[in-house]
Amino acid sequence: MAEAHQAVAFQFTITPEGIDLQLSYQALNQIYLSGVRSWKKRVSRMRNRVIKGVYPASPSSWLFVVIAILVTMYMRSDPSMGLIAKIQQHLPLSLHVSLSAQGQNIVSALVFSTLLWLSLILALRLCLKLLLSYHQWMFEKHGQVSNTTKVWVTLVRLLSSRKPLLYSYQTSLPHLPVPAIRDTLDRYLESVRPLLTDPEFKRMTELANEFESSLGNRLQRYLKLKALWATNYVSDWWEEYIYLRGRSPIMVNSNYYGMDFLYVTPTPVQAARAGNTITALLLYRRKLNREELNPSRVPGTVIPLCAAQCERMFNTTRTPGADTDVLQHWQDSEFVAVYHNGRYFRLWVYRAGRLLSPREIEYQIQRILDDPSPPQAGEDKLGALTAGDRTPWSQIRKQYFSSGGNKRSLDAIERAAFFVTLDNEEQGMRGEDPAGNLDRYAKSLLHGKCYDRWFDKSFSIVIYKNGKNGLNAEHSWADAPTVAHLWEFTLATDAFHLGYTEDGHCKGEIDRSLPHPQRLTWDIPTEVQAQVSSSLALAQALADDVDCHVFPFREFGKGRIKKLRISPDAFIQIGLQLAYYRDRGGFSLTYEASMTRLFREGRTETVRSCSNESCAFVKALEGGEVKFVKFVGGLSLYFRESVLSEPWRLSTSQTPVQQMELFDLKNNPDFISLGGGFGPVADDGYGVSYIIVGEDMINFHVSSKYSCSETDSHRFGAQISKALHDIMALVSADSKTPSSSRGTAQPQPQPQPQAKKLL
């Protein structure tokens, strides 16, 4: 094969005269250039370690301190108050012999200057950490900022004035505090009050008090001890016990998806879209490795967020274990893994240390699309192992993929920068049934055919036959905002920076001597094929049960909501409560994901948006008695069991737009992101993801299960739209703004006066 010959750096033959060694200078040159690229990355990492290690100061500030000390000494003043003289007394004997008294004085001054400089850095970092520990700003009323917060903002800006690298703030972020157990229990009881009858709430209160006086205080001491020792007392347990220890399929249950533009497909050429998408992702990785990405911040502020989740974005896979999975991350990878028509390929994206151009990657992808070779026995549905239960996959992996050719091929997938699926289907909002096709597009990204994705990879991209693309992400290594940041950059770079030729192909030149993408080879015995079939059957049943509905809400957006001095997210959440009440005739425990990235290595917390106030508002608006959706099995005899048995029948999450500057929606209004979604958390509940796009649009992703007769994603989507419309009509009834900004407003019932007062 051509790639095999080109991969050989030297050949030799044994002759009667001796060994005849033939060197391939082209191959050796590529090895040399790859080594140069690797060393450049190492030097860049070392440079970045120094720069972020002294932040918020700069390396050059050391020279300023040295000059200041030397100038002061030249003026016959001792800024060290005798410390320089003491340092001079403790210099090595060799320096006393080789240097003059003046030279020793200068060396001592340099040592003192360096120690002073390091002390100043630690002091500045401590000041920044103390400033970032102040969180009162988030509790202040809109437009009424206290003088304390104004001073705080000024100081934070002053200490953050130097341009930071991606990880510059990491050591300055505060640690997540351990809340008092009484505060935790009080907040918990308040959150479940609207979901319990009076006798049930009384019993829950008794259980909570009993827990506090017995096991709770002991657990609290353990938490405080861990908080003193660990960087974050939650994150490692969250990663392991919430994600990695799960033995059920991660497809649908854990993984989530991201979509392409709603109205635009930059090119209909599948290979070209793959070329630009892969290039954009690798450009992001380059910026990530060089730490050139701006640190994420709380929107509209200078407050930094933890960037630790970015570290395992690329070259990462989740490997199955008997009891718990493990996340494996490699420092670098020069190839991606590609799946097409039941076959796996390794595609090298670097040649001689150079990133291939988008046109060259398109050329290589087209070679894969044109390859007529059939799948090997058992190869086509091998990916189903990653879609089924984790324990069987662990056993099969250990027994049949731990050595030989199978291990080499599996390594090529797991060590790849990311996974690429070239899908033969066409997807997107198209054809005679655009709404239905949008729902099918979501299902395809969430689970595909259950075997044509590698669900263990940190993320996989899907390129469809008509040029549409999308993403499926594994959840344990990071939360959705981190992946959304990557996907925003990818879409914007693809459409606005890399671009396409008039005939829809990628730009750039082609080196036609590129070796062919490498087919991965497998030896799949019948035992493995049997497990593949079993995993596929389980995954297919799970996928067939998912009911997805995606719809853009265009009646109004955050622009109109903010004019009414209401938080857009709060407005949507109260709308979801109203919609759920109308759909199910009662209330349920509600999960809204929120970030704790204000703290070092922070991940996710829960906003329990079903509250006493939200229930009172819905009740007042509907004018009826509130019904309760009870806990599964009722209350247990023990507090822990009662809490852990509560089902999240309404699980919600907002996908924030973090880089709006990349999308010029004013001049390119059709380049609107659809956001992404996830599967339902409870078998009888809903999963709702939403993204607020621009000023006038909110995209919703609703999921549920067909097997539950009480849920219907399309019906709930309609309830969401109606609820948002009714609440807007309520809050804007006294204003001159019409109740609908687009089209004719539907007649609505007269809102209850008490509901307006409560809102």
Side-chain angles (χ1 to χ4, degrees), residues 69 71 96 206 215 250 307 333 344 364 391 433 493 500 688 703:
I69 295 296
V71 168
H96 281 285
E206 293 172 352
L215 182 61
I250 60 175
S333 177
Y344 292 89
Q364 294 291 74
T391 301
D433 182 21
T493 302
Y500 299 88
V688 182
S703 65

Side-chain angles (χ1 to χ4, degrees), residues 164-167 169-170 173 284 293-299 301-307 310 481-482 485-486 595 597-598 658-659:
L165 297 175
L166 176 62
Y167 301 116
Y169 289 108
Q170 289 303 102
L173 291 172
Y284 187 95
L293 295 170
N294 293 324
S296 295
R297 301 179 188 272
V298 176
T301 73
V302 296
I303 306 165
L305 300 174
C306 180
C310 297
T482 302
H485 192 277
L486 162 72
M595 295 186 297
R597 289 169 61 197
L598 288 169
Q658 304 165 73
Q659 304 168 92

Side-chain angles (χ1 to χ4, degrees), residues 190-210:
E190 183 182 5
S191 72
V192 298
R193 181 63 189 95
L195 305 175
L196 300 173
T197 61
D198 291 342
E200 287 175 332
F201 182 72
K202 181 181 179 182
R203 176 59 180 156
M204 181 62 83
T205 303
E206 293 172 352
L207 290 174
N209 293 334
E210 180 183 336

Side-chain angles (χ1 to χ4, degrees), residues 501-738:
T501 61
E502 291 184 0
D503 55 353
H505 291 283
C506 296
K507 298 177 181 178
E509 301 298 324
I510 304 177
D511 178 2
R512 297 189 180 275
S513 68
L514 290 171
H516 281 263
Q518 176 188 356
R519 270 292 302 272
L520 302 184
T521 58
W522 309 90
D523 179 15
I524 311 297
T526 55
E527 295 85 355
V528 176
Q529 295 185 39
Q531 182 56 53
V532 167
S533 299
S534 177
S535 296
L536 180 58
L538 175 66
Q540 194 65 61
L542 179 61
D544 291 343
D545 196 24
V546 177
D547 176 15
C548 289
H549 180 46
V550 181
F551 65 97
F553 180 81
R554 303 186 184 91
E555 188 171 328
F556 55 82
K558 74 173 183 181
R560 189 168 171 200
I561 298 173
K562 292 178 76 172
K563 286 180 180 178
L564 298 168
R565 303 178 71 82
I566 299 175
S567 160
D569 186 73
F571 187 96
I572 294 170
Q573 284 292 325
I574 199 71
L576 292 175
Q577 292 298 312
L578 177 58
Y580 188 88
Y581 178 81
R582 288 172 171 174
D583 185 78
R584 301 291 297 274
F587 299 110
S588 176
L589 197 65
T590 303
Y591 180 104
E592 181 188 8
S594 64
M595 295 186 297
T596 57
R597 289 169 61 197
L598 288 169
F599 304 97
R600 192 172 179 183
E601 296 184 10
R603 288 285 304 250
T604 301
E605 247 302 347
T606 306
V607 175
R608 295 173 176 243
S609 48
C610 180
S611 63
N612 291 317
E613 293 79 7
S614 67
C615 292
F617 168 79
V618 171
K619 180 181 177 182
L621 185 63
E622 293 298 279
E625 291 297 323
V626 177
K627 301 174 185 177
F628 298 94
V629 180
K630 295 182 181 293
F631 293 173
V632 174
L635 296 180
S636 170
L637 294 175
Y638 301 101
F639 179 74
R640 286 176 300 160
E641 286 75 6
S642 297
V643 172
L644 295 176
S645 68
E646 300 169 14
W648 298 101
R649 289 195 177 92
L650 182 55
S651 182
T652 70
S653 178
Q654 180 191 162
T655 303
V657 179
Q658 304 165 73
Q659 304 168 92
M660 187 55 75
E661 69 276 5
L662 298 179
F663 303 90
D664 184 4
L665 294 182
K666 184 176 181 180
N667 296 317
N668 302 286
D670 291 338
F671 286 82
I672 292 174
S673 172
L674 263 173
F678 53 89
V681 174
D683 291 340
D684 59 346
Y686 291 108
V688 182
S689 175
Y690 52 94
I691 179 172
I692 301 173
V693 183
E695 298 294 310
D696 303 307
M697 189 175 185
I698 307 170
N699 290 326
F700 286 92
H701 300 248
V702 181
S703 65
S704 61
K705 292 193 174 183
Y706 288 114
S707 57
C708 178
S709 60
E710 297 180 342
T711 58
D712 184 297
S713 295
H714 289 73
R715 184 185 71 212
F716 192 56
Q719 292 286 18
I720 293 173
S721 297
K722 187 175 186 302
L724 294 178
H725 180 96
D726 289 352
I727 296 173
M728 178 57 72
L730 172 67
V731 297
S732 60
D734 292 334
S735 69
K736 297 181 180 180
T737 307

